[in-house]
């Protein structure tokens, strides 16, 4: 399938030419990269500045996706398209006007929470979940208006169900797996996945070992079997890939992701005090160069070309297009 | 001239529907509005947020100019096109990557200084002028790359001459008058104006009383005679209007413009301690509704339609188009 479009719904790798070359080797057409976790508005601007530097330096390898149709340009030119997302709402602080400002800067999606309670919703590590907040409700509406996708990957269950209902447009869980596969706090129960699909949303299946049955020892067959069961549950139009690859990142980055500035104690997130480090990737998905293994696995398990196209990229393409299409001409 | 395009190169009015209606009454096609004086990056984002609110609320009256060709859309739809500029470099702080980030947000021009020494150059109120700084040189180059116009309205003479030379593209003095007309610190000597024009630049003639001979008592004939002499000096392609109208602004805004956070004492700028307030506009240019008076004056003094078109808008249109045309496809 020369014309296969592969869209990875989430990565946070240590970006540079080596990673881009691996992506090209793996046939990745576009990747949705995390722009910020705990960074405030000002800090996120500098993160954007660093990305602009990458676009300037590696223009033969990557390009910014300004409009979703640019994914086709990336495909034709053999470059990797870069799309921006936020894994938390720290960037917009308490200022609703920043939703549109960061949309104008190319931010296509925002998680309402990152593990903890945020100004918008409850994170999946909180013991209680009071649902979407007052600010959260108006932010969801504003995100709908300006074309920014709501992402509930790191959110708690009630908040997620409410966001699915409140959003006028389909939302996503960009990188997680079903709880039936592996009952991690970050994975999602059937009820959430069904509600997500019923409103047109998408689940990006994660290759992050903490989200996999048996972690790094999870086999490709087990992963694809889980994919098939998820497709049965949600429908072929509602499943994609959000690999959650965090390649070549030092431990300090993992500490930032887990602890930000919110705790003086060390929070180990999905890790443990005696095993705090980055987990090892499964051998069949060690880097972006291994996307063809997923395609081979899907084919081996009987998925036809149309289904492979949808799961590998077209579902993401569709949902980003739906989010981008806004009726309000006041926006950028 | 039904098809006359009027572009005002600088205004900082107290924006709202009354002002927009006056602009439409005066035939203004597009206005270049000041987004920030002393505001840092984060604060400028909130200023943008307030503008987005205006676009949402008054979409029948105004529209954002995303590409300069949108000026034609504004003309055809009878709305006023809004273009953003910075009257200082506080917004980019000490971070060169913010030039591109704010260009992506629609900032089309930036003054290297506002009266005082900045990180980039010397302001026109400094007693000494050491020229363009190290950071200033790389920022000019970056502005050229991303399509942001260099504006030296509030800069000192040596810095201005150096910026004219250093910039790969024509630059502007968006709102000032020749010193021969009125020897204010903010007005410009012939040598600067000649150098500006020789490199393709533009002077926006100011209607701010402190820049006018006899202040509010300046007559329309005197203003047009000055315009004609400036055209003789610089050429018909290098003169436009930058009215510097600051309509309906409270005194607190003038204080912010003059003092920002940089002084505890009160600086009166072009005013005086015993006359600190906003100056009175000349009777023939009290608001944007009075642009037709300028056209009538130009016609009375013998300027032909082509010349009127250039000075009233097409010169601004051209220089913004030249700035916008960038060869570097890495940018937004």
């Amino acid at each position: 399938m020369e014309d296969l479009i592969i869209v990875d719904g989430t990565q946070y790798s240590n970006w540079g030419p080596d990673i881009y070359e691996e992506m090209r080797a793996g046939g990745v057409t576009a990747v949705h990269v995390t722009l910020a976790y705990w960074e405030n508005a000002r800090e996120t601007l500098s993160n954007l500045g660093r990305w602009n530097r990458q676009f300037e330096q590696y223009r033969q390898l990557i390009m910014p996706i300004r409009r979703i149709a640019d994914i086709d340009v990336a495909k034709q030119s053999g470059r990797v398209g870069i799309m921006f997302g936020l894994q938390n709402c720290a960037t917009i602080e308490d200022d609703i006007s920043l939703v549109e400002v960061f949309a104008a800067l190319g931010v296509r999606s925002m998680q309402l929470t990152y593990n903890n309670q945020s100004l918008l919703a409850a994170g999946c590590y909180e013991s209680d979940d009071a649902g979407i907040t007052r600010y959260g409700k108006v932010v969801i509406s504003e995100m709908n208006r300006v074309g920014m996708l709501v992402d509930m990957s790191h959110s708690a269950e009630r908040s997620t169900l409410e966001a699915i209902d409140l959003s006028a447009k389909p939302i996503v869980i960009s990188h997680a797996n079903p709880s039936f596969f592996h009952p991690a706090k970050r994975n999602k129960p059937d009820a959430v996945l069904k509600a997500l699909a019923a409103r047109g949303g998408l689940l990006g299946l994660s290759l992050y070992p903490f989200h996999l049955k048996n972690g790094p020892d999870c086999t490709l067959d087990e992963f694809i079997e889980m994919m098939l069961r998820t497709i049965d549950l949600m429908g072929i139009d509602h499943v994609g890939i959000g690999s959650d690859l965090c390649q070549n990142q030092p431990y300090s980055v993992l500490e930032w992701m887990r602890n930000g500035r919110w705790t003086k104690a060390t929070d180990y997130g999905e890790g443990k005090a005696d095993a705090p480090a980055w987990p090892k990737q499964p051998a069949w998905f060690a880097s972006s160069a291994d996307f063809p293994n997923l395609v081979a696995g899907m084919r081996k398990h009987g998925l036809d070309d149309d289904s492979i196209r949808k799961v590998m990229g077209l579902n993401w393409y569709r949902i980003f297009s739906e989010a981008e299409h806004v009726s309000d001409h006041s926006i950028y």
Side-chain angles (χ1 to χ4, degrees), chain A:
Chain A
M1 287 200 285
E2 279 287 301
D3 60 341
L4 181 67
I5 285 178
I6 297 180
V7 178
D8 189 348
T10 307
Q11 282 204 27
Y12 187 67
S13 293
N14 194 350
W15 306 109
D18 296 352
I19 301 271
Y20 306 141
E21 291 290 10
E22 272 180 349
M23 285 182 159
R24 301 213 300 177
V28 176
T29 317
V31 60
H32 186 260
V33 307
T34 299
L35 197 58
Y37 291 90
W38 302 101
E39 290 91 334
N40 63 21
R42 174 65 186 86
E43 293 164 335
T44 303
L45 295 183
S46 285
N47 292 356
L48 271 166
R50 276 188 281 278
W51 265 111
N52 287 336
R53 204 69 211 288
Q54 295 279 302
F55 293 135
E56 214 182 327
Q57 292 183 294
Y58 305 112
R59 63 187 66 197
Q60 270 74 46
L61 302 176
I62 57 171
M63 59 173 278
I65 301 295
R66 297 186 190 93
R67 291 279 167 263
I68 283 301
D70 287 343
I71 291 178
D72 300 316
V73 179
K75 177 73 186 174
Q76 286 148 23
S77 61
R79 287 171 293 173
V80 178
I82 306 290
M83 300 180 282
F84 297 129
L86 303 170
Q87 285 210 32
N88 196 2
C89 60
T91 295
I92 65 162
E93 302 175 3
D94 60 0
D95 182 347
I96 194 165
S97 78
L98 294 187
V99 176
E100 183 168 7
V101 167
F102 280 93
L105 285 167
V107 172
R108 305 198 157 271
S109 77
M110 181 172 77
Q111 289 181 193
L112 301 195
T113 70
Y114 189 74
N115 298 342
N116 290 5
Q117 175 72 41
S118 75
L119 295 180
L120 309 178
C124 60
Y125 278 67
E126 295 290 353
S127 54
D128 292 278
D129 177 0
I132 303 295
T133 66
R134 299 174 75 211
Y135 184 37
K137 285 172 188 168
V138 292
V139 165
I140 289 173
S141 166
E142 182 72 353
M143 291 172 77
N144 290 159
R145 187 181 75 85
V146 304
M148 195 185 285
L149 199 54
V150 175
D151 185 352
M152 298 301 278
S153 294
H154 284 253
S155 298
E157 184 167 340
R158 176 179 161 192
S159 289
T160 303
L161 289 168
E162 288 184 11
I164 290 168
D165 273 346
L166 285 164
S167 177
K169 291 190 174 190
I171 76 167
V172 299
I173 292 170
S174 66
H175 57 299
N177 289 325
S179 303
F180 69 69
F181 181 54
H182 177 57
K185 269 192 183 152
R186 278 272 287 101
N187 285 339
K188 308 298 176 186
D190 286 10
V192 166
L193 299 180
K194 275 192 197 169
L196 181 69
R199 292 294 304 271
L202 180 147
L203 172 70
L205 298 177
S206 168
L207 280 305
Y208 193 56
F210 288 130
H211 307 156
L212 300 175
K213 182 164 78 177
N214 306 320
D217 299 325
C218 179
T219 67
L220 177 58
D221 284 327
E222 286 168 331
F223 184 82
I224 301 295
E225 282 157 13
M226 174 275 288
M227 177 191 288
L228 294 176
R229 188 168 153 193
T230 309
I231 291 171
D232 281 345
L233 183 75
M234 299 183 71
I236 188 66
D237 294 322
H238 305 286
V239 178
I241 303 292
S243 76
D244 208 7
L245 265 178
C246 297
Q247 276 187 268
N248 302 357
Q249 294 285 23
Y251 179 61
S252 60
V253 164
L254 191 58
E255 282 188 301
W256 170 249
M257 289 161 68
R258 287 171 175 166
N259 300 300
R261 290 173 284 235
W262 68 271
T263 176
K264 294 195 287 182
T266 300
D267 184 87
Y268 294 100
E270 299 175 283
K272 289 173 188 154
D274 59 353
W278 290 105
K280 194 171 161 288
Q281 285 293 126
W284 46 271
F285 199 82
S287 80
S288 289
D290 286 336
F291 273 94
N293 290 340
L294 292 185
V295 175
M298 292 162 82
R299 191 159 283 150
K300 176 183 163 193
H301 283 263
L303 278 168
D304 61 20
D305 281 4
D306 267 5
S307 299
I308 291 172
R309 277 182 220 283
K310 284 183 174 182
V311 173
M312 291 306 289
L314 295 190
N315 286 343
W316 269 117
Y317 195 118
R318 184 198 76 240
I319 205 154
F320 275 127
S321 297
E322 285 170 1
E324 183 177 275
H325 183 75
V326 292
S327 57
D328 188 335
H329 296 297
S330 80
I331 72 147
Y332 283 85

